[in-house]
Amino acid sequence: MAEELSFYDVKTKSKFNTSEYEVREKSGRFFAVTKSPKGTHECWRVLSKDQAAKLKK
């Protein structure tokens, strides 16, 4: 089971926790990406290189 992370939804200005996300790399940086619970857009969270490696397993 994936570790639960906290995300901030910029469009609705609210925080939420979820364990359903995917780790993506973009321009050498790592992000956790999930769907917003209150819309159709995605919410992104910056991850450290170590944290991304741990979550990809």
Side-chain angles (χ1 to χ4, degrees):
M1 188 170 104
E3 180 181 329
E4 187 170 87
L5 293 178
S6 176
F7 288 84
Y8 181 74
D9 188 341
V10 176
K11 288 189 177 183
T12 62
K13 297 181 178 137
S14 60
K15 280 184 152 184
F16 64 95
N17 295 330
T18 186
S19 57
E20 295 180 21
Y21 53 85
E22 61 180 85
V23 177
R24 294 187 195 167
E25 182 178 359
K26 187 172 185 177
S27 302
R29 297 186 75 188
F30 293 95
F31 300 89
V33 183
T34 189
K35 293 283 185 189
S36 169
K38 297 180 181 176
T40 57
H41 55 281
E42 292 181 329
C43 299
W44 292 57
R45 175 191 166 133
V46 177
L47 300 173
S48 69
K49 193 181 274 188
D50 294 337
Q51 190 178 21
K54 183 177 126 186
L55 294 175
K56 277 187 175 182
K57 291 181 182 178

